[in-house]
Amino acid sequence: MKARLVPRGGLRLRLVAGFTVVAVAGCLSTGLLTFREARTGVLQQSQDSVVKQFRDTVDARVRGVPDPPDRADLEALVGDLAYAHRSQPWRILATYGSLRAVHGPQDSFDALSPELLRSVRTRPAAVFQRVRRDGRAFLVVGLPVTYGGAATPTPSGLVLYLVVPQETEQLYVEALVTAIERATLPALGLAVLIALVVARGVLRPVRALGRATRRMAAGHLDTRLEVTGADELAELSETFNDTAAALEQSVTELRRMEARSRRFVADVSHELRTPLAAMTAVTDVLDEQASRLDQVTGEAVRLVSEETARLARLVDDLMEICRFDAGAAELRVDEIDLAESVRRTLASRGWQDRVTADLPADGALRARVDPRRLDVVVANLVGNALRHGAPPVTVRVAAEDGPDGQRPEGGRPGGGWAVITVSDRGPGIPEDALPHVFERFYKASRARTRSESSGLGLAITEENVRLHGGSVRAAGRPGGGAVLTVALPLRRPAADGSGGAGEGGRR
């Protein structure tokens, strides 16, 4: 199973980003609330102070104004009010009907909005509004002069307007914004620092868990984690240790049972060889005398002889499988002519007339292999084709990149592999059976539960091929039939040396 590639620092990046987002949101929300409250407080205080001062001054000065006033009266009132607040940059406008009197520059008082003028006409109380003109902030106050008590005020028609620039308040608000901005950057830096520290604390046990998992995947089942603290990560480490301990115990028990099973099979096979050798010798003698016996006894003798030979082959195959399982199988390589080796295999079993051989010229294709194991490989493949296929059975040997142009694992291009192909024209191998044909005791057809085959031939073939560093596969043939292909390296690694018998290829 391929390891999934995870970007380094991915979790740390997410933690830092999360902390940063939270810090930004917190700073922005806190800054906005602080700014809003501070701005409202500053402006409200300034507004209340100006409105109160203006009302008190008007109340004190308006008593001397005649009713109805003329323009001179309005100018005197405006001048008196301005003098009372001469230290403040107030602009005052007095109106009575169509009469107007202004203290200061004769401006148009464009800061007076229609909404404020309408409110002054309809409400007998002071109204105010904050406006901006040409980038500057102003507080505008409209104060109608009334007669009577507070319960039943009567408008006199005299209205006073006050325009006060709020530059000081604006500077204060701008300073507040600057302070919030300056405080935000250190807060973000602190949030990132805290995020890095927290991420380090979170990632340390996670990375330790990842390393431990990889060690367990590599076969180190004694790997354990150090448990520190009492949080969820510590609980995860404890769970991992418990799981690892249970897995180690299970695997140890399975290995013990597997080793016991292999020893049992090896011991049984070994113990059977001696009585089988005696039985084989007896059946050989009986075979020589079978023609002189009556028909029933002769058939019984031949049946016993066939079954004894079959049992002997099964025991030999079991012994060979046990050697592979125990890692005791060795290669005794020699440089041989592959074409000649295949011909000897066919001749020793009397298959020359039943098998078509497509072989290279003598000496044209040589390889360093174990001659005995190569003989077993070819014999098992051809014997399988003769038993379960149909003629013509063909054996082909050639130097290629690999079967069907595919280089086996570890292969080199340029004809670095000897490819042995055995094909037949039989019913072929069912598609669902192809992945299992090299399994032990597997038979594609359940109808062949009783046959000359032990079900170990192809498994032994695969083990022998792997021992050589090659590969073997089975496939269907277009038009019917099966094709079994073996790819063997023509040159073994230099570590094998140049010697012949006794070279180790321990699996």
Side-chain angles (χ1 to χ4, degrees):
M1 182 175 65
K2 294 184 179 179
R4 182 185 176 188
L5 296 179
V6 179
R8 186 173 180 82
L11 183 55
R12 171 182 291 180
L13 180 61
R14 290 196 294 270
L15 287 173
V16 172
F19 269 85
T20 303
V21 170
V22 172
V24 169
C27 289
L28 289 178
S29 59
T30 303
L32 288 175
L33 291 174
T34 303
F35 171 76
R36 188 183 69 177
E37 295 299 325
R39 179 176 179 273
T40 301
V42 169
L43 296 179
Q44 186 70 38
Q45 181 181 2
S46 174
Q47 164 193 302
D48 293 344
S49 175
V50 169
V51 172
K52 184 178 184 305
Q53 291 180 31
F54 187 52
R55 180 186 289 114
D56 292 344
T57 305
V58 170
D59 289 343
R61 301 293 193 278
V62 78
R63 291 187 176 90
V65 178
D67 184 23
D70 57 15
R71 184 179 183 86
D73 295 331
L74 295 180
E75 290 178 351
L77 176 60
V78 169
D80 194 12
L81 293 174
Y83 181 79
H85 299 281
R86 56 188 176 275
S87 63
Q88 300 175 354
W90 285 11
R91 294 158 54 202
I92 304 172
L93 168 66
T95 65
Y96 186 85
S98 60
L99 298 178
R100 291 169 57 92
V102 178
H103 175 78
Q106 299 298 313
D107 56 30
S108 60
F109 275 80
D110 57 353
L112 302 180
S113 66
E115 294 82 2
L116 184 134
L117 295 175
R118 186 166 50 251
S119 297
V120 169
R121 290 194 298 268
T122 58
R123 297 176 58 186
V127 295
F128 55 87
Q129 185 180 30
R130 286 190 293 268
V131 297
R132 295 188 67 86
R133 288 292 186 272
D134 301 327
R136 299 175 63 191
F138 297 92
L139 174 63
V140 182
V141 181
L143 180 62
V145 177
T146 61
Y147 297 114
T152 58
T154 303
S156 65
L158 176 61
V159 180
L160 296 170
Y161 296 95
L162 173 65
V163 178
V164 181
Q166 292 191 307
E167 295 177 353
T168 303
E169 291 79 1
Q170 186 66 27
L171 291 175
Y172 181 84
V173 171
E174 292 176 355
L176 182 63
V177 172
T178 302
I180 292 175
E181 291 177 349
R182 291 177 178 176
T184 300
L185 294 178
L188 290 179
L190 181 62
V192 172
L193 180 62
I194 294 175
L196 290 175
V197 174
V198 173
R200 183 179 180 183
V202 172
L203 292 179
R204 187 185 298 113
V206 173
R207 288 174 177 168
L209 179 61
R211 289 192 297 269
T213 303
R214 287 191 292 272
R215 281 183 54 83
M216 288 193 64
H220 302 284
L221 300 181
D222 57 343
T223 302
R224 298 294 184 272
L225 290 174
E226 180 182 357
V227 180
T228 56
D231 54 8
E232 289 80 359
L233 292 175
E235 183 180 355
L236 178 61
S237 299
E238 291 180 354
T239 303
F240 175 85
N241 290 340
D242 294 341
T243 304
L247 180 61
E248 182 181 19
Q249 182 178 358
S250 299
V251 171
T252 301
E253 181 65 19
L254 288 174
R255 287 174 177 172
R256 186 182 63 81
M257 295 174 61
E258 184 181 6
R260 181 188 300 174
S261 299
R262 284 200 296 265
R263 283 197 307 271
F264 175 77
V265 174
D267 292 343
V268 169
S269 301
H270 186 270
E271 292 299 326
L272 287 175
R273 298 190 74 176
T274 300
L276 277 175
M279 292 173 62
T280 302
V282 172
T283 54
D284 288 342
V285 174
L286 291 176
D287 283 340
E288 295 176 358
Q289 302 294 326
S291 58
R292 304 175 187 176
L293 301 175
D294 60 84
Q295 182 178 359
V296 176
T297 304
E299 291 179 355
V301 168
R302 283 189 291 273
L303 179 60
V304 170
S305 178
E306 292 173 359
E307 292 301 319
T308 301
R310 180 175 179 274
L311 183 58
R313 287 194 298 273
L314 176 59
V315 170
D316 289 339
D317 289 345
L318 287 174
M319 291 293 293
E320 186 73 3
I321 287 292
C322 290
R323 280 192 288 271
F324 283 120
D325 289 342
E330 294 184 351
L331 285 178
R332 299 183 177 273
V333 300
D334 194 4
E335 185 169 337
I336 63 172
D337 182 359
L338 295 182
E340 178 61 27
S341 175
V342 172
R343 275 194 288 268
R344 282 200 302 267
T345 298
L346 299 179
S348 64
R349 291 163 176 80
W351 291 340
Q352 304 96 314
D353 299 335
R354 303 173 59 188
V355 178
T356 302
D358 181 6
L359 307 176
D362 290 344
L365 185 57
R366 303 180 66 84
R368 290 179 58 76
V369 296
D370 186 325
R372 182 186 72 83
R373 296 188 183 278
L374 179 62
D375 175 76
V376 172
V377 168
V378 175
N380 284 343
L381 295 180
V382 174
N384 183 78
L386 291 174
R387 282 192 301 271
H388 307 303
V393 175
T394 303
V395 179
R396 180 178 178 273
V397 180
E400 300 176 3
D401 277 348
D404 296 338
Q406 301 290 327
R407 290 193 299 274
E409 184 178 355
R412 298 178 298 276
W417 293 78
V419 179
I420 303 173
T421 304
V422 178
S423 59
D424 64 76
R425 288 289 184 179
I429 304 174
E431 194 71 26
D432 58 344
L434 287 176
H436 309 288
V437 293
F438 296 103
E439 295 178 2
R440 300 174 185 182
F441 298 107
Y442 180 81
K443 296 182 181 180
S445 174
R446 297 303 176 186
R448 298 201 322 263
T449 55
R450 181 71 175 173
S451 66
E452 296 180 2
S453 173
S454 64
L456 294 174
L458 293 182
I460 292 175
T461 297
E462 183 181 39
E463 295 289 351
N464 280 318
V465 171
R466 286 181 179 175
L467 204 59
H468 283 85
S471 64
V472 58
R473 69 185 186 93
R477 182 175 182 177
V483 179
L484 287 92
T485 305
V486 171
L488 300 173
L490 290 175
R491 292 289 180 267
R492 292 183 58 76
D496 285 346
S498 58
E503 282 191 39
R506 187 173 295 275
R507 178 173 174 268

